Structures are given as C-alpha cells and as structure tokens.
Amino acid sequence: MHGVASPRNVSFQDYLEEIRTFTREVLRPAEDTVEREDAIPADIVDAMRRIGLFGITLPHEYGGLGWTMEQQALLTMEFTQASAVYRSRFSTTIGLTSQVILDYGTDGQRRRYLPAMASGAMTGAFCLTEEAAGSDAGAVETRAVRDGDHYVITGAKRYITNAPDADVFMVVARTGEGEGADALSCLLVERGTAGLETPPHDRMMGQRGSHVGEVHFSECRVPASALLGGSEGNGLKKALRGINHARTHVGATCVGQALRLLDEGTAYLLERQQFGKPIGEFQAMQVLLGESQSEVLAARALVLDAARGFDRGPPIPIVEIACAKLFASEIVSKVADRVVQMLGGQGYLEQRAVARLYRDVRLFRIFEGTSQIQQTNIARAVLRKGRPLPLTA
C-alpha cells in the first residue's frame, strides 16, 4: 500500500511547523519560476509528495496522514501563504475526488485509488461543470449509457482543474431521465481510455501554473466497475460531499492568501520612507492595514468554526461552510486591493508578488460556487429555518 514518501509519527504541531518552514524555504522562492513557466517544476511537486501534502485529508488506512478538517484548514492557511497555484496541483486530488471515493466508493475503488492519491502517485480531476451546467449543476448533459458490462460516455466538461495533468477523472454524467436525484451518477475514468481527450489548457488571468481546461468524451467506453459505488443515481449528492470539503479548503486558502498579502503590505509600510518617516506612520495607511487585519482574523475564525462543524458531523454544516467561503473570498479580494494601494506604483509592477496575488485571488469569488450562489443558498436556508444562524443553537 502506498503512503506518503516518508511515513511520520509526528504531532500535528510539529507537522504544521514543518509545513510553515517548507512554505517559506521551498514554495515561495520558486513562485517566479512557476509564473514564468506556467507550470510547477517537477522537483517541487516531488517535494510536496515527500512532505505529505497529497495525504493530508485521507485516513491512515489508505496511506494518508489522517488530519481532521480543522487541522487541514490550519495547514492550508500555512501553505497558501505561498502561491495558491501549489495548492491547485493537489487540491482536486485531496478534496473533490478522493473524498467522494472515500465516502461512496466500493472497497475495490478505495483500494485502487486512495493509496495512490495519498502518496501523490495519482492526480485526480473532478468533472462536473459544462457549458450548460455551471451554477445549475443539475443541467449536466454528458451521458453515460449502459452497454452490457460497460458504460459509453459522451459529452464535454470545462473549467476542470488539472485536466491536462490528471490520471483519473471523476465524471458526473446522466445515466437516467428527468431531473431527480437518480438521473445523475459518478464514474471513474482513467487517462488512456479511448475516447477521452484533454485539449491544451486555457490560459487564465491569474493562477498561472494551475492548469484548467476541457475534458472531452467521445464514445468513451469504460467497464461497469467504473461506476462509483457500483450503483447509479445520487450523482449530485455524491458530488456535493466533495464540493463542501473543497469549499472549506477554499475558505482557508483565502485566509492564507490574505495573510501573505498583509505580510507583503506590512513590510512595505515599514520600509518605504516619505516625508522623513515610514509611510506606516501615516494614519491613511494605518486605516487600510487595521481594517484588513481585523477582517482576516474574522475570516479565519469563521473558516475554523465551519471546519470544526465538519468534524462534529454528520450532517455536514453546509450553510456554515457557504458563509465561510463567501466571507473569506470576498475579504481576500478587498485586502488585495488595499495592499496594492499601500504599495502605490510598486503594487502595480509585475516584479512584486502583490501584483500576482491581486490577480490570483480574484478567482476565489467564482469557483466552487460563486459568491452569488453562496448568498442565495444561505438566504434560502435562513428562510426555511425561519430565523438567522446559528442553525444548531
């Protein structure tokens, strides 16, 4: 059974410190290379495997490190103080893909995929979004038709993280008729299967080095054993298990990116001199910094509270996760804008990390559910309950 490259019996605090050091000494220094080459160097990916980042969400029995969701969030807040692109390299493997297999896969599927994912030997991609199925996830048109002992998949997915890099694709496809829960199913399709193609990835405004593209299925024939859990139906329910895990991680990522932005901004306020003193002594700059710091701490508390609720479940605290993802993703964009303002002209130069971060964080208000979808879902939950949160009080 695969495990992380160097099995460890360390305390969580020791591992957190190890990740903190790794972020500052390995990940940050390679950021310019990642941006310039639009790819994470192979030696950095290998280093992420060795330190166990591909295994932080999976239990020990499958070769993972077995950390709780709260611990995963704390780790994410550390390693995303480097470029968020590093996280994207393993995010769909540790979250969207592996967690759905963990909860809904057959014993054989768990044994085949989870140890390889925990070690970083296998990269997963989660294929839900289509041209007609974005926020309206139930509008999936990709079809999987049963043909004897096989399914034949036809359709196209887009905005798929790690599409060019993945070894296995979790595909949400229509196996039934109508709009009910039984109409959609999940199937596991391995790279190399005839009829599966991944065109060159799209170039994004930010997050360069994170490869997002399309996945095409043309009469793609897979064995019936590829059907997740061995039964049709409940595809969206299964997908949402992974999506809520991912949203919690995205909230933590926003906190990590905001902390990095504050780090960059604070250093500049102390370093830059005007009118004979550091510009951090000017009240206008202090207002920007003070508001940003308070909001980042609030986002951190909200994300960790949602993570603790995840650990206490079931049920998964869907509304609390939506609140955390919404708040943290909106805040990190505000912090990025303020830090650019703190740096003035320097903040607009590509040579500064702030300029890259400013572009990178804009994505978080869109993916894993737009801010508007989060707002709508939160409001509907409150109206159903007839009173505001906390719903569990």
Side-chain angles (χ1 to χ4, degrees):
M1 181 177 288
H2 296 279
V4 296
S6 51
R8 56 190 76 243
N9 294 304
V10 298
S11 70
F12 175 72
Q13 287 303 320
D14 286 343
Y15 187 67
L16 184 66
E17 185 58 39
E18 188 177 358
I19 293 299
R20 182 175 293 126
T21 301
F22 180 74
T23 299
R24 293 187 175 273
E25 296 183 0
V26 178
L27 298 184
R28 281 198 188 185
E31 288 175 337
D32 289 342
T33 300
V34 173
E35 177 81 359
R36 183 175 61 255
E37 298 181 358
D38 192 23
I40 303 172
D43 63 323
I44 300 294
V45 178
D46 286 341
M48 293 192 296
R49 292 187 181 110
R50 287 194 300 273
I51 205 169
L53 286 178
F54 284 84
I56 65 172
T57 66
L58 286 168
H60 297 293
E61 65 184 293
Y62 295 111
L65 295 176
W67 303 127
T68 66
M69 179 62 85
E70 182 180 8
Q71 291 169 329
Q72 293 168 37
L74 289 167
L75 288 167
T76 300
M77 291 174 188
E78 287 299 331
F79 59 68
T80 57
Q81 289 182 50
S83 170
V85 169
Y86 296 117
R87 173 194 167 273
S88 74
R89 180 62 179 79
F90 56 85
S91 61
T92 54
T93 304
I94 68 173
L96 285 166
T97 311
S98 69
Q99 298 304 299
V100 181
I101 296 173
L102 180 64
D103 275 15
Y104 295 104
T106 64
D107 287 342
Q109 288 166 344
R110 294 189 190 107
R111 289 194 301 270
R112 178 173 179 80
Y113 296 111
L114 296 185
M117 289 180 173
S119 70
M122 178 177 284
T123 296
F126 186 80
C127 301
L128 172 61
T129 304
E130 301 177 5
E131 182 175 356
S135 297
D136 181 9
V140 164
E141 294 179 351
T142 295
R143 298 196 68 87
V145 178
R146 185 71 182 250
D147 181 20
D149 292 333
H150 291 78
Y151 281 91
V152 179
I153 306 173
T154 303
K157 303 290 184 176
R158 66 175 181 176
Y159 307 145
I160 307 303
T161 302
N162 289 329
D165 306 308
D167 303 294
V168 61
F169 302 80
M170 177 168 290
V171 184
V172 180
R174 190 167 295 280
T175 51
E177 301 300 329
E179 302 299 324
D182 291 335
L184 300 178
S185 301
C186 297
L187 298 99
L188 295 162
V189 184
E190 297 185 13
R191 184 174 292 281
T193 303
L196 184 155
E197 295 183 356
T198 53
H201 67 273
D202 299 314
R203 186 169 174 84
M204 299 187 291
M205 177 174 71
Q207 303 261 346
R208 290 173 190 160
S210 173
H211 298 157
V212 174
E214 297 185 354
V215 183
H216 296 171
F217 302 94
S218 178
E219 299 293 313
C220 180
R221 192 176 184 85
V222 297
S225 59
L227 183 67
L228 184 72
S231 61
E232 294 185 2
N234 284 318
L236 281 184
K237 177 184 177 181
K238 295 170 183 176
L240 282 171
R241 165 61 176 90
I243 288 170
N244 279 292
H245 188 283
R247 284 176 180 168
T248 309
H249 276 237
V250 170
T253 297
C254 292
V255 174
Q257 293 281 273
L259 288 169
R260 171 66 181 282
L261 282 157
L262 284 179
D263 193 26
E264 297 285 340
T266 302
Y268 190 77
L269 294 183
L270 292 170
E271 154 201 321
R272 172 67 168 159
Q273 299 273 332
Q274 286 288 274
F275 304 104
K277 58 183 177 181
I279 63 172
E281 294 187 18
F282 293 106
Q283 192 173 41
M285 295 295 103
Q286 292 173 355
V287 168
L288 296 176
L289 181 61
E291 186 166 12
S292 297
Q293 178 66 85
S294 63
E295 288 175 339
V296 172
L297 286 179
R300 182 182 186 275
L302 192 57
V303 170
L304 290 178
D305 185 67
R308 286 188 287 267
F310 203 112
D311 288 331
R312 287 193 301 268
I316 293 173
I318 294 172
V319 181
E320 288 87 342
I321 290 170
C323 290
K325 194 273 182 182
L326 169 66
F327 186 77
S329 63
E330 292 289 331
I331 286 306
V332 72
S333 281
K334 292 179 181 178
V335 171
D337 189 71
R338 292 183 195 129
V339 172
V340 169
Q341 197 69 17
M342 292 176 196
L343 269 67
Q346 283 291 307
Y348 208 69
L349 297 179
E350 284 286 328
Q351 67 197 54
R352 288 276 184 174
V354 168
R356 184 190 71 249
L357 290 162
Y358 181 84
R359 286 185 282 104
D360 287 351
V361 302
R362 184 60 182 84
L363 178 62
F364 299 130
R365 290 154 61 193
I366 298 172
F367 81 159
E368 306 300 356
T370 65
S371 290
Q372 288 66 43
I373 286 295
Q374 307 302 336
Q375 290 165 334
T376 300
N377 289 343
I378 294 163
R380 287 174 177 168
V382 172
L383 292 170
R384 282 196 302 271
K385 188 71 174 179
R387 60 185 177 86
L389 293 174
L391 298 179
T392 55

